[in-house]
């Protein structure tokens, strides 16, 4: 890597390949590959994104705003914020604890633990909802007991939170584990040798080193928590104004043929997605900035 | 002399491992076990009858068939997109690179209604496709379109880093040995990318099999034709057929676990490849 | 402060890293733990620091048992192999870290911290880098900052893990001399780990040679080099020629020849391993009957001395492959011998060191 980069005067990125006769593609190949890949990108990624905003504003700003301040929409937005406000911190704490365990210590069964943490990624969101119905639903394990005590989990807010916690479970841990693995244990050990307490070590050394990955993990976790549809749909019961989150509200409006309103609420979620991607890009840029000065000749 | 217990120098092992295991068990493992515990309350005949009903089998065919096809299409275009992003300079590259992750970040319901708006009979694209006899919305083709959308970033994001780390010396060596550009790509570069491509394929496939939100708006959900397996589970739940829903869910879960293990194996292969190249 | 380790044993799974190691490190000395990778030297250093805990055995600081003392309480300075500088802190913040994390009562004032950091930066001659980040430093600069950081907390002992391992040859030589000078100034008990024999012999007062979790030999650098106690010590320190043979009266039978033995405690008929340094071998031309038959393969001129590479017949070193020998000669000796590549000669030595074959 290093040798090739210096041979070409330290060219970075694609320029490195385009300046090298051995890795340069003929112009017509580049043209063909670019038009195929960018055409695909345009059709399958960009167009759906643009469509959301265009459809949302099709009937004008007044309809757009009316759809967002209507009481059911407001309560859906409030529930979505509440759900994320509970699910994200829980998974944040879990993500840090799991990453700390996995990357700073050696123990048996570590590989299995990593696989288990990934499990929610490979489970269909519908099943994620179903499992909580089986545990807490009227016919579930704790259903009768909960019923007696007047506690409602399924078709109520706690169920929505639980399902959301499940589907966003691995996000923070997945961002932290590879980074902390790469950073190793030396800096923490150095802090201890220098007399730092466990908490000082974590706050002054570990946390600053992982803050950008942590931020991105949280943002991604948050986007998924606010946008989750399948799992929440199973446990929500779709009670308007009570157990409807934003994505569920979008579905109801859409099924009632209130397309402009549906897209108006959807556009808020799309904006959230764009913010998430912007943060991701920024975090990656930061990471590359801190990585580059390391290459001292 | 005092006995020296097993000692870990960095603090917090007991606390963090304990919390991790407790949280993992409470949120993930115990509830997932409920599916299997519920399933074994069924007699084998009843279980088999539920999971092999014609409408359910048709949904497997649709779900797994379109997922495979979507993942395959994503491998081709995902590779082209990753190649463009790594190897070429073009205007708007940063934007394209950032937006590739859109399906990760965009709520599935939003993707669902947006794709439907594009491909419906009078939609942006539908109005041109319909006269040609191509119906996308409310057909299996619509399911395919939605699954392509959600699977694309998996392929791009597994192939891209491998392509970036690929030493230019490998291609220089091939060229110096007299290989043409096409031969170099076909015989040297692509085999190196193979583990990453397969991993991306498996990830996209696994995600597509379980997908719900982006599909149900565009699928039309006609029984035997365009009804996906997750929707079968929901339908059974809405009819209070909890055991039926659980039986179908158990089948899907087993498929997911097999896929997860496959993906883990493939990722191990990718990493070892990368280590050897590095 | 003096350090003593007693009967330390440490295993990682089935791998025995340290197997009953006992050592004394007297106050104020600079000591090298030398050995090939995997010999347990870094593990021993980490056990002294408290970064690793032994399965068995004790660590004593100034005669007091420190085995149960936490790494934070041991007051050691540790310089990590890859420095472990805090990447998000400036050089200044890195050095001040150990002072700033002290408990409220014993923490120096900010002004004292600044002054102390300034003194340390002067000591390592890098004051002008105070506000740089570790990523902006060269390897040698990072090494010196890591040392300054370790010294900031006024440790009672300084431990360095492969301190020059990650540096290029020129910087390494400079830093070696600098570390030696620094030690002569500070006189703090220091232990450093290295796999480089030149480094150990050049820098340290005393060398502890380790192999496979045990101590092979320990003593002053000169003693260890001049009088290797074991076959391992001999072959690890410096260039060496190795012979396998059988003791036959006052000579050693090797393949088709014999070399006289002057000092040996091996019994008649015993299978042994013998060593000689390149300058301890002699080349005989003409009709000599002494020594073992070899063929000249190359003559290398360089500097004041010349090196001759020779090839023995198969079996001369106990292996099926033909063995290669290296002899160091003065220019004068070389021109007297007038060697040609391919020429058959005989090889002998007056200073063959013999070790029992089984102990190797």
């Amino acid at each position: 890597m290093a040798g090739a980069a210096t041979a070409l005067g330290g060219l970075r990125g694609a320029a490195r390949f385009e300046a090298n006769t051995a890795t340069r593609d003929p112009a017509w190949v580049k043209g063909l590959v670019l038009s195929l890949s960018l055409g695909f990108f345009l059709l399958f990624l960009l167009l759906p994104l643009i469509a959301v905003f265009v459809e949302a504003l099709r009937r004008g700003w007044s309809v757009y705003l009316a759809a967002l301040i209507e009481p059911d929409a407001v309560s859906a937005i409030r529930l979505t914020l509440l759900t994320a406000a509970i699910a994200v911190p829980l998974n944040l704490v879990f993500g840090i604890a799991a990453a700390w365990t996995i990357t700073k210590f050696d123990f048996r069964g570590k590989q299995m633990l990593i696989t288990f943490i990934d499990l929610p990624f490979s489970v269909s969101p519908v099943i994620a909802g179903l499992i909580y119905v089986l545990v807490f639903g009227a016919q579930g394990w704790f259903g009768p007991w909960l019923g007696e005590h007047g506690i409602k989990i399924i078709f109520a807010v706690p169920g929505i939170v639980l399902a959301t916690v499940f589907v966003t479970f691995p996000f923070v841990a997945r961002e932290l584990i590879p980074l902390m693995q790469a950073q190793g244990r030396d800096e923490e050990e150095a802090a201890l040798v220098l007399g730092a307490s466990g908490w000082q070590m974590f706050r002054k050394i570990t946390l600053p080193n992982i803050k950008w990955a942590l931020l991105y993990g949280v943002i991604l976790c948050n986007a998924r928590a606010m946008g989750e549809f399948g799992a929440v749909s199973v446990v929500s019961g779709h009670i308007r104004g009570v157990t409807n989150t934003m994505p569920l509200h979008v579905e109801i409006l859409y099924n009632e043929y209130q397309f402009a309103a549906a897209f108006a609420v959807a556009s808020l979620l799309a904006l959230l997605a764009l913010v998430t991607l912007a943060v991701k890009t920024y975090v990656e840029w930061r990471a590359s900035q801190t990585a580059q000065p390391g290459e001292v000749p | 002399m005092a006995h020296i217990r097993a000692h870990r120098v960095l603090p917090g092992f007991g606390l963090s491992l304990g919390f991790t295991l407790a949280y993992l068990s409470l949120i993930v493992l115990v509830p997932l076990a409920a599916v299997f515990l519920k399933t074994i309350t069924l007699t084998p005949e009843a279980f088999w009858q539920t999971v092999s009903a014609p409408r359910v089998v048709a949904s497997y065919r649709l779900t797994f068939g379109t997922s495979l096809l979507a993942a395959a299409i994503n491998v081709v275009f995902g590779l082209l997109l990753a190649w463009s992003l790594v190897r070429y300079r073009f205007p708007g590259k940063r934007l394209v690179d950032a937006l590739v992750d859109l399906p990760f970040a965009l709520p599935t319901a939003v993707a669902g209604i947006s794709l439907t708006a594009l491909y419906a009979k009078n939609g942006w694209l539908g109005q041109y496709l319909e006269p040609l006899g191509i119906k996308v919305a409310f057909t299996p083709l619509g399911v395919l379109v939605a699954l392509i959308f959600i699977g694309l970033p998996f392929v791009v994001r597994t192939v891209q880093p491998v392509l970036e780390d690929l030493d230019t010396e490998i291609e220089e060596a091939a060229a110096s040995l007299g290989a043409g550009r096409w031969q170099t790509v076909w015989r040297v570069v692509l085999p190196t990318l193979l583990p990453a491509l397969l991993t991306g394929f498996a990830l996209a496939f696994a995600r597509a099999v379980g997908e719900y939100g982006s599909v149900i708006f565009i699928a039309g959900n006609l029984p035997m034709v365009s009804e996906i397996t997750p929707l079968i589970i929901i339908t059974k739940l809405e009819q209070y057929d909890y055991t039926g829903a659980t039986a179908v869910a158990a089948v899907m879960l087993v498929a997911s676990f097999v896929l997860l293990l496959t993906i883990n194996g493939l990722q191990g292969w990718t990493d070892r490849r990368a280590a050897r190249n590095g | 402060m003096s350090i003593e380790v007693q009967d330390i044993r440490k295993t990682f799974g089935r791998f025995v890293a340290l197997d009953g190691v006992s050592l004394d490190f007297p106050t104020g000395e600079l000591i090298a733990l030398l050995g090939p990778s995997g010999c347990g030297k870094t593990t021993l250093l980490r056990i002294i620091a408290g970064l690793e805990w032994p399965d068995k055995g004790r660590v004593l600081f100034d005669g007091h048992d420190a085995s149960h003392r936490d790494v934070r309480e041991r007051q050691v300075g540790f310089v990590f192999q890859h420095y472990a500088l805090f990447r998000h802190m400036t050089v200044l913040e890195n050095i001040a870290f150990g002072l700033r994390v002290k408990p409220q009562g014993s923490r120096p004032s900010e002004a004292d911290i600044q002054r102390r950091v300034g003194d340390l930066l002067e000591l390592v001659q890098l004051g002008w880098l105070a506000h740089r980040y570790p990523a902006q430093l060269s390897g040698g600069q990072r090494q010196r900052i890591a040392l300054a950081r370790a010294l900031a907390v006024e440790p009672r002992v300084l431990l360095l893990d492969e301190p020059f391992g990650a540096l290029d040859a020129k910087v390494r030589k400079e830093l070696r001399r600098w570390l030696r000078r620094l030690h002569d100034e500070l006189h703090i008990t220091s232990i450093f780990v290295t796999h480089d024999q030149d480094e150990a012999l050049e820098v340290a007062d005393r060398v502890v040679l380790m192999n496979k979790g045990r101590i092979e030999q320990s003593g002053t650098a000169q003693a260890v080099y001049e009088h290797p106690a074991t076959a391992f010590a001999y072959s690890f320190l410096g260039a060496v020629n190795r012979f396998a043979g059988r003791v036959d009266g006052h000579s050693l039978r090797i393949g088709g020849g014999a070399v006289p033995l002057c000092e040996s405690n091996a019994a008649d008929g015993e299978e042994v391993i013998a060593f000689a340094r390149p300058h301890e071998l002699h080349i005989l031309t003409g009709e000599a009957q002494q020594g073992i038959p070899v063929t000249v393969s190359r003559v290398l001129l360089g500097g004041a001395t010349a090196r001759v590479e020779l090839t023995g017949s198969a079996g001369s070193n106990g292996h099926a492959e033909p063995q290669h020998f290296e002899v160091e000669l003065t220019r004068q000796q070389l021109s007297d011998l007038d060697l040609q590549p391919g020429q058959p000669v005989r090889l002998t030595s007056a200073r063959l060191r013999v070790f029992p074959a089984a102990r190797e």
Side-chain angles (χ1 to χ4, degrees):
Chain A
M1 271 291 287
T6 44
L8 291 170
L11 286 180
R12 294 200 165 273
R16 168 166 74 100
F17 296 103
E18 291 198 344
N20 186 331
T21 49
T23 53
R24 181 171 48 206
D25 292 327
W28 68 271
V29 173
K30 176 179 172 179
L32 185 68
V33 170
L34 272 183
S35 42
L36 278 174
S37 61
L38 293 184
F40 191 81
F41 168 82
L42 209 72
L43 193 63
F44 279 91
L45 291 179
L46 200 56
L47 213 51
L49 179 66
I50 295 170
V52 173
F53 294 103
V54 172
E55 292 290 333
L57 294 170
R58 176 159 293 216
R59 310 261 302 276
W61 282 97
S62 57
V63 176
Y64 180 84
L65 286 175
L68 296 183
I69 57 172
E70 167 258 325
D72 286 349
V74 170
S75 89
I77 292 170
R78 197 176 292 146
L79 179 57
T80 294
L81 292 175
L82 173 74
T83 307
I86 300 171
V88 174
L90 279 176
N91 285 335
L92 168 69
V93 173
F94 164 75
I96 293 174
W100 180 259
T101 317
I102 285 167
T103 59
K104 304 289 175 182
F105 302 100
D106 295 312
F107 55 94
R108 274 205 284 180
K110 189 196 271 193
Q111 207 48 50
M112 193 147 87
L113 182 59
I114 297 174
T115 307
F116 277 146
I117 290 173
D118 277 349
L119 212 51
F121 272 158
S122 58
V123 171
S124 171
V126 169
I127 296 177
L130 169 73
I131 60 178
Y132 291 108
V133 174
L134 293 180
V135 175
F136 298 112
Q139 301 177 27
W141 290 350
F142 301 115
W145 186 87
L146 290 169
E148 273 168 37
H149 291 77
I151 303 169
K152 216 163 153 49
I153 290 182
I154 300 306
F155 305 139
V157 174
I160 293 173
V161 172
L162 274 174
T164 306
V165 168
F166 182 96
V167 293
T168 58
F169 186 84
F171 279 98
V172 178
R174 289 295 340 212
E175 285 305 314
L176 293 185
I177 289 171
L179 178 73
M180 287 169 70
Q181 203 111 52
Q183 289 180 343
R185 305 167 192 178
D186 277 6
E187 287 183 47
E188 275 86 5
E189 286 182 352
L192 291 185
V193 176
L194 291 168
S197 69
W199 173 241
Q200 284 175 321
M201 172 209 67
F202 180 75
R203 196 165 49 88
K204 297 193 171 197
I205 305 302
T206 310
L207 219 47
N209 275 342
I210 61 172
K211 63 182 175 204
W212 294 111
L214 198 64
L215 174 66
Y216 179 53
V218 165
I219 290 283
L220 206 58
C221 184
N222 179 64
R224 191 66 205 276
M226 291 189 170
E228 180 50 33
F229 176 71
V232 170
S233 169
V234 173
V235 295
S236 127
H238 303 270
I239 307 162
R240 270 197 158 185
V242 181
T243 61
N244 255 357
T245 62
M246 285 167 76
L248 295 177
H249 190 61
V250 168
E251 183 197 20
I252 289 178
L253 292 172
Y254 190 83
N255 287 342
E256 289 172 350
Y257 302 103
Q258 300 187 41
F259 292 136
F263 276 103
V265 178
S267 72
L268 283 188
L269 291 167
L271 274 178
L272 173 71
L274 289 178
V275 169
T276 305
L277 295 183
V279 171
K280 178 199 157 81
T281 308
Y282 177 71
V283 166
E284 279 175 352
W285 175 77
R286 281 295 308 221
S288 71
Q289 288 299 299
T290 46
Q292 275 171 26
E295 295 162 21
V296 167
Chain B
M1 195 181 81
H3 173 71
I4 297 174
R5 71 205 150 77
H7 187 93
R8 294 171 200 275
V9 171
L10 291 181
F13 177 67
L15 183 69
S16 62
L17 180 68
F19 178 74
T20 301
L21 290 180
Y23 190 74
L24 177 72
S25 306
L26 273 175
I27 298 292
V28 179
L29 298 183
V30 173
L32 274 180
V35 172
F36 295 102
L37 291 174
K38 181 88 177 172
T39 308
I40 55 172
T41 61
L42 280 170
T43 63
E45 295 80 40
F47 173 77
W48 182 247
Q49 219 164 27
T50 311
V51 301
S52 67
R55 188 170 156 187
V56 178
V57 171
S59 82
Y60 298 150
R61 204 175 295 137
L62 177 72
T63 300
F64 288 89
T66 44
S67 296
L68 270 178
L69 194 57
I73 291 170
N74 276 332
V75 163
V76 175
F77 286 95
L79 173 63
L80 290 180
L81 203 47
W83 189 272
S84 303
L85 288 172
V86 175
R87 293 300 178 99
Y88 302 143
R89 280 178 295 176
F90 57 90
K93 183 161 130 174
R94 287 187 78 111
L95 187 73
V96 174
D97 198 8
L99 281 180
V100 162
D101 281 329
L102 183 70
F104 283 157
L106 192 70
T108 51
V110 177
I113 61 168
S114 173
L115 289 171
T116 314
L118 290 177
Y119 289 98
K121 195 162 57 184
N122 52 358
W124 296 19
L125 298 168
Q127 56 181 319
Y128 302 108
L129 295 172
E130 202 92 347
L132 302 172
I134 304 171
K135 283 191 176 190
V136 179
F138 317 125
T139 70
L141 199 55
V143 177
L144 182 70
V145 167
L147 295 184
I148 290 174
F149 173 82
I150 57 143
L152 183 64
F154 289 96
V155 179
V156 179
R157 293 304 187 217
T158 41
V159 174
Q160 199 178 3
V162 181
L163 203 51
E164 249 156 26
D165 284 348
L166 199 67
D167 203 328
T168 47
E169 278 180 21
I170 296 177
E171 284 161 76
E172 288 168 354
S176 75
L177 293 167
R181 182 69 190 137
W182 173 244
Q183 285 174 309
T184 304
V185 170
W186 184 249
R187 290 173 176 238
V188 178
V189 178
L190 280 185
T192 317
L193 295 181
L194 187 66
L197 282 170
L198 282 175
T199 307
F201 175 85
L203 284 169
F205 178 67
R207 172 72 204 270
V209 165
E211 179 56 22
Y212 176 72
S214 60
V215 176
I216 52 148
F217 293 98
I218 200 172
N221 308 325
L222 278 174
M224 305 297 291
V225 180
S226 60
E227 188 180 41
I228 54 168
T229 312
L231 183 62
I232 296 259
I233 298 176
I234 295 246
T235 312
K236 284 187 188 296
L237 273 178
E238 279 169 358
Q239 296 158 351
Y240 300 103
D241 178 9
Y242 286 3
T243 41
T246 311
V248 178
V251 172
M252 286 204 72
L253 266 186
V254 170
S256 302
F257 292 160
V258 171
L259 274 169
L260 181 66
L261 292 179
T262 313
I263 290 165
N264 272 357
L266 284 170
Q267 261 160 353
W269 187 26
T270 314
D271 292 347
R272 284 196 299 280
R273 249 318 151 87
R276 236 183 302 153
N277 286 333
Chain C
M1 185 180 68
S2 75
I3 300 169
E4 195 181 346
V5 297
Q6 291 176 346
D7 197 26
I8 297 278
R9 185 180 165 82
K10 175 75 182 175
T11 54
F12 295 102
R14 277 202 209 126
F15 177 71
V16 181
L18 292 171
D19 190 8
V21 169
S22 297
L23 268 176
D24 261 324
F25 302 96
T27 308
E29 282 201 354
L30 176 57
I31 297 147
L33 291 177
L34 173 67
S37 62
C39 74
K41 54 193 191 297
T42 294
T43 306
L44 181 59
L45 196 76
R46 289 171 61 88
I47 284 175
I48 295 171
L51 287 169
E52 217 67 79
W53 285 46
D55 304 337
K56 190 166 128 331
R58 299 201 297 170
V59 179
L60 287 85
F61 285 2
D62 269 340
H64 300 289
D65 191 351
S67 306
H68 296 269
R69 239 185 272 161
D70 191 274
V71 50
R72 273 162 280 198
E73 300 157 1
R74 290 200 188 186
Q75 279 190 284
V76 296
F78 198 99
V79 177
F80 289 78
Q81 182 174 5
H82 301 289
Y83 321 130
L85 292 177
F86 306 131
R87 68 195 87 188
H88 60 287
M89 296 183 188
T90 61
V91 162
L92 198 144
E93 289 166 334
N94 260 284
I95 298 175
F97 182 87
L99 301 170
R100 286 183 176 153
V101 297
K102 277 185 192 292
Q104 210 97 61
S106 54
R107 190 187 308 158
S109 70
E110 191 54 37
D112 284 344
I113 292 178
Q114 294 291 345
R115 189 162 50 243
R116 175 120 190 84
V117 171
D119 290 348
L120 283 161
L121 277 170
E122 203 169 302
L123 180 73
V124 298
Q125 302 151 1
L126 290 176
W128 50 291
L129 292 176
H131 297 286
R132 297 268 185 95
Y133 283 91
Q136 299 164 313
L137 307 181
S138 73
Q141 290 166 343
R142 285 182 215 180
Q143 169 65 270
R144 285 193 270 170
I145 298 302
L147 197 60
R149 185 179 69 176
L151 290 171
V153 291
E154 293 177 335
R156 299 190 294 165
V157 52
L158 189 60
L159 307 171
L160 307 101
D161 186 6
E162 293 277 4
F164 316 112
L167 304 170
D168 60 52
K170 186 164 168 284
V171 180
R172 199 180 317 170
K173 265 201 130 58
E174 279 170 24
L175 269 179
R176 272 187 211 166
R177 258 175 259 136
W178 178 78
L179 178 68
R180 182 66 239 186
R181 272 205 313 278
L182 191 74
H183 182 262
D184 292 342
E185 247 172 74
L186 301 173
H187 277 295
I188 172 174
T189 312
S190 308
I191 306 174
F192 74 98
V193 154
T194 178
H195 63 269
D196 182 334
Q197 32 142 347
D198 291 339
E199 201 167 288
L201 297 175
E202 186 184 317
V203 178
D205 298 318
R206 226 152 55 84
V207 174
V208 175
L209 182 62
M210 295 182 66
N211 185 33
K212 293 181 183 160
R214 292 172 169 278
I215 291 168
E216 289 278 335
Q217 190 174 358
S218 103
T220 64
Q222 191 172 1
V224 174
Y225 183 75
E226 298 285 332
H227 305 288
T230 64
F232 173 82
Y234 207 113
S235 57
F236 192 79
L237 295 170
V240 75
N241 292 287
R242 178 181 179 280
F243 306 89
R246 188 166 44 78
V247 178
D248 182 12
H250 286 291
S251 58
L252 182 65
R253 295 230 148 263
I254 301 160
V259 180
L261 287 175
C262 46
E263 42 141 352
S264 164
N265 43 13
D268 210 21
E270 195 182 343
E271 297 287 338
V272 295
I273 304 289
F275 296 99
R277 305 268 179 224
H279 65 268
E280 296 169 346
L281 284 175
H282 303 294
I283 295 171
L284 307 174
T285 51
E287 294 304 303
Q289 293 303 304
Q290 242 190 332
I292 53 172
V294 291
T295 313
V296 176
S297 37
R298 280 209 303 169
V299 176
L300 301 158
L301 296 169
T305 60
R307 285 186 300 131
V308 182
E309 288 180 3
L310 306 115
T311 312
S313 57
S316 59
N317 60 340
H319 294 296
E321 296 283 307
Q323 195 196 354
H324 301 281
F325 300 103
E326 192 182 303
V327 178
E328 199 179 308
L329 302 170
T330 62
R331 286 284 180 114
Q332 185 60 47
Q333 285 170 316
L334 185 70
S335 66
D336 290 349
L337 283 167
D338 189 26
L339 299 171
Q340 300 302 323
Q343 182 183 352
V345 293
R346 295 183 87 89
L347 205 54
T348 187
S349 172
R351 292 189 59 186
L352 220 48
R353 280 292 310 264
V354 172
F355 298 96
R359 262 292 287 131
E360 195 185 7

